[in-house]
Amino acid sequence: GCTSLVVTHDMNLAFDVADRIGLVGDKHFIALAPTDEFKNSTDPVVQNFIHGIDPDALIDDGKGMRA
């Protein structure tokens, strides 16, 4: 087998080539999971990253954080 580390912000590429995906922030893993589990994560930080939403652009409209 072969192990590779791919660093990308291109989520389509990551989903195509990875067996596992990790999201790093604040010097540690925020998430590390098999690709399907990562893609379906309920963690809003993970979903914001997948969909390219800047967390600093979110506002609380009283119904939760929205872009």
Side-chain angles (χ1 to χ4, degrees), residues 18-44:
D19 294 322
R20 295 188 319 157
I21 297 178
L23 176 59
V24 177
D26 295 326
K27 302 178 186 176
H28 68 277
F29 280 102
I30 295 170
L32 179 61
T35 303
D36 286 338
E37 186 178 319
F38 186 91
K39 189 184 293 188
N40 297 309
S41 173
T42 58
D43 184 327

Side-chain angles (χ1 to χ4, degrees), residues 4-30:
S4 299
L5 174 65
V6 177
V7 178
T8 183
H9 287 97
D10 182 339
M11 294 312 300
N12 291 322
L13 173 68
F15 292 142
D16 285 344
V17 302
D19 294 322
R20 295 188 319 157
I21 297 178
L23 176 59
V24 177
D26 295 326
K27 302 178 186 176
H28 68 277
F29 280 102
I30 295 170

